[in-house]
Structure formats: structure tokens, C-alpha cells
Amino acid sequence: MNTVEQDRSIIERFKSGERAAFKMLVEKYKDEAFSLACSIVKDRQLAEDILQEVFIKLIDKIKTFKYQSTFYTWFYRIVVNQCYNTLRKRQRFSTLEAVTLEPEIIEDKAVTNDLRQLINNALNRMKPDEALVLRLFYLSELKIEEVVQITGFSVSKVKVTLHRARKNLATLLKQIFGKELADL
Amino acid sequence: MMDKKDPIAALLKESKLETSATFTMQTLDKFDEKMYRRMRRRLYLLIASVGVFVLWTVFLLISSDFKVKTFGLMVQLPKVLMMLVISLISYFAIFHLLLLASLGRGRQTNIS
């Protein structure tokens, strides 16, 4: 049984109010959704709160899901919308947009020598759109069309953002790893 | 489509973050809370609608002429019964509409 069929059976059980099905959905999607939320809000606690809110809203909204798209694109779209809405409400969006790359902070963090933390620090210093598109494309391994569905950007905007994000991330990582990643 | 077998892609596979250990438990607690509230709301709705139906029926019975002694009862009874049937149908129609509304049927939407 593939992911889509698995999801369908879980969703049908969840629609009838089954707690175990809800738990399965939470377990299956929480980490990737959390990574996406962190790409946008750059705050672990806030990302968790948003994700929890989305899961609870899902209890009511799951009945409107008619399999016109895959569940994960629908769900990730909800998470992304909720993150941007929260940012707008908090009026922090403009501040985050203005975040610039700061090599000296990255170098300090490099002392930890933890690969995952280094990459996440680099992603945290990128613009929300760029970090989000990178994670959707490379971490979640989604197609461009799916990234378009989730973000609501045009195909060309997704491609341009992806290209720019790769360049920015490569620059940041080269500063951290030096010559080891010269071929990036 | 871009080639995903490159160093950037490999590194980004390491960028998956994990929620806190209590996240699932907390979310399930909220799920239970929400389901409990939903059941309670449905129960109140049911009790209220039955109450309205009972009141309406009593009103119909009172407004009907029950003071008939002998022959009058034979004439009045079908009228009362008809009113009861009408009120029962109205009750089910209203309850059905309320249920439909609470199910939130409609097109697939995004939460925003």
C-alpha cells in the first residue's frame, strides 16, 4: 500500500472520529510539518504552537477534504498559511524579511560541530520563502508542482526562489565548511 | 526537474527538525478535550430540540379544544393528531438541518 492509499484509509477512520487514526496522522506528519513551520516562523515554540493549532483545526476541517489533492499537499498548505497568518498578526513579518546573512554568527555556531544544527542555523538565517522552498523540495522531496500548490507561488517564482536559495545556502555552508564543500 | 543527488540535497536531508517529546501527547489531550466538548454540545442540542418539541406539542394540546364531553371528542381527536404529526415532521426537518449545518458539508477548503 503506497502513502496515498495509506493516508486515505487513515483519513476515512479519522473522519469518523477515531482517535488512533488522528494519532497516526500526527505521528506521520508532525516532524516534516514542524520543519516547514520553523522555516517560516524561525521559532521552535511558536512553530509547535501553530502546528498543534492546525492539528486541532483539522478535526473540524477534515470533512471538507475531498481527495482533490494529496493529503500532505493539503495539510502542508494549511500549515504554511497558518504560519504566514500568525506572522502577519504578530507584525513580525517585515522584520524577518529583513534578516540578512551574518557569517560571524554562523562561525560561532560552527564550534558545536553538529551537522544538523549547522544546516538548520544556516536555514534560520535565510528568508522564510527560501528556507520553505528548499525544505519542501529537498527534505520532503516534493515536485515543483506540489511546491506550487503548497506555497501558492507561481511555477517561475518557485524555480527562481529555489535557485536563489541554493546559492545563498551554498555561500553560507562554504563559510562554515570551507574547502570541503568547494564543489557546491 | 533539478537533480536531487547533489551535496546540497544530501545536506538538506539532515535539516529535518523534531518536535518536543510531549508534542503528540499534548495534541492528543487537546483532541480528547475537543471531542468531549463536541459530544456535550450535541447532547445539549438534542435535549434543547426535544424540549422545544415537547413545548410545542403541549401548546398545541392546550390550544385544542379538550373540553368536549362526548361526541365532540371524536371530531377533535384527528385535528390534534394531525397537529402532532405536523409538529413531529417540523421537528425532524429542523433537527436534520441542524445536523447538516454541524457537519459542515462543502467544497474542499484550506484553513486560513
Side-chain angles (χ1 to χ4, degrees):
Chain A
M1 200 189 277
N2 64 31
T3 309
V4 177
E5 284 169 354
Q6 262 180 358
D7 279 356
R8 204 181 176 101
S9 112
I10 298 171
I11 289 161
E12 284 308 312
R13 286 164 55 201
F14 177 40
K15 276 183 176 179
S16 60
E18 201 181 302
R19 188 179 190 268
F22 178 70
K23 189 181 178 187
M24 283 166 89
L25 279 181
V26 173
E27 292 285 359
K28 190 171 179 183
Y29 289 105
K30 64 176 179 145
D31 289 336
E32 272 190 32
F34 179 62
S35 305
L36 299 180
C38 281
S39 304
I40 301 168
V41 299
K42 319 281 188 195
D43 180 333
R44 289 184 71 98
Q45 190 53 51
L46 182 60
E48 271 201 9
D49 291 347
I50 290 171
L51 198 56
Q52 210 161 56
E53 203 179 315
V54 170
F55 274 122
I56 296 305
K57 277 188 178 179
L58 214 56
I59 299 169
D60 290 326
K61 296 290 172 187
I62 194 69
K63 289 189 175 74
T64 68
F65 179 66
K66 309 281 187 198
Y67 303 100
Q68 288 162 1
S69 57
T70 52
F71 174 75
Y72 58 84
T73 52
W74 182 74
F75 176 65
Y76 290 160
R77 172 95 200 223
I78 293 168
V79 174
V80 168
N81 281 348
Q82 189 73 22
C83 288
Y84 281 121
N85 285 345
T86 307
L87 281 185
R88 259 181 240 121
K89 276 180 200 162
R90 292 183 168 220
Q91 296 179 328
R92 284 172 47 188
F93 190 67
S94 55
T95 319
L96 283 169
E97 282 267 84
V99 167
T100 50
L101 309 176
E102 294 167 13
E104 65 280 3
I105 296 171
I106 302 295
E107 280 167 13
D108 287 343
K109 299 282 181 188
V111 181
T112 62
N113 208 21
D114 181 340
L115 183 65
R116 181 176 292 195
Q117 195 175 336
L118 290 173
I119 294 161
N120 283 315
N121 282 337
L123 286 165
N124 266 348
R125 270 153 186 77
M126 296 178 77
K127 288 179 180 173
D129 290 356
E130 291 182 0
L132 174 68
V133 170
L134 274 180
R135 276 202 170 110
L136 283 169
F137 191 73
Y138 291 108
L139 175 65
S140 305
E141 294 187 323
L142 301 182
K143 294 173 194 156
I144 294 280
E145 300 79 54
E146 290 175 316
V147 179
V148 167
Q149 275 184 41
I150 292 166
T151 55
F153 301 157
S154 63
V155 175
S156 53
K157 187 178 175 183
V158 168
K159 285 180 178 171
V160 168
T161 309
L162 196 58
H163 179 71
R164 198 180 296 140
R166 272 181 62 96
K167 271 178 75 178
N168 285 342
L169 185 66
T171 310
L172 278 168
L173 292 174
K174 273 177 194 165
Q175 286 165 358
I176 299 166
F177 294 105
K179 288 178 184 174
E180 287 174 48
L181 292 179
D183 57 334
L184 282 177
Chain B
M1 203 158 96
M2 292 184 201
D3 179 23
K4 294 187 183 183
K5 307 278 182 198
D6 62 18
I8 289 273
L11 285 169
L12 278 162
K13 291 300 281 176
E14 295 293 322
S15 74
K16 190 171 183 172
L17 295 167
E18 286 172 10
T19 54
S20 62
T22 57
F23 180 81
T24 307
M25 215 168 64
Q26 284 173 353
T27 311
L28 284 173
D29 284 347
K30 288 195 173 178
F31 173 85
D32 292 338
E33 225 172 86
K34 177 136 186 143
M35 294 310 265
Y36 174 71
R37 274 205 309 269
R38 182 185 279 185
M39 276 177 64
R40 210 172 50 180
R41 201 172 56 230
R42 281 184 181 170
L43 191 66
Y44 288 155
L45 187 69
L46 185 69
I47 291 168
S49 63
V50 168
V52 168
F53 171 66
V54 168
L55 281 176
W56 177 241
T57 308
V58 168
F59 169 75
L60 287 177
L61 288 172
I62 290 169
S63 63
S64 307
D65 188 8
F66 262 91
K67 290 175 182 173
V68 284
K69 298 274 162 57
T70 51
F71 194 72
L73 188 63
M74 300 297 285
V75 180
Q76 291 295 320
L77 195 61
K79 188 184 165 191
V80 172
L81 276 179
M82 197 179 72
M83 282 178 164
L84 281 173
V85 169
I86 290 169
S87 70
L88 194 65
I89 290 168
S90 312
Y91 164 72
F92 281 122
I94 291 166
F95 194 66
H96 179 70
L97 284 174
L98 285 172
L99 272 182
L100 276 183
S102 72
L103 281 175
R105 289 175 192 274
R107 64 183 184 84
Q108 184 172 311
T109 52
N110 291 326
I111 303 167
S112 55

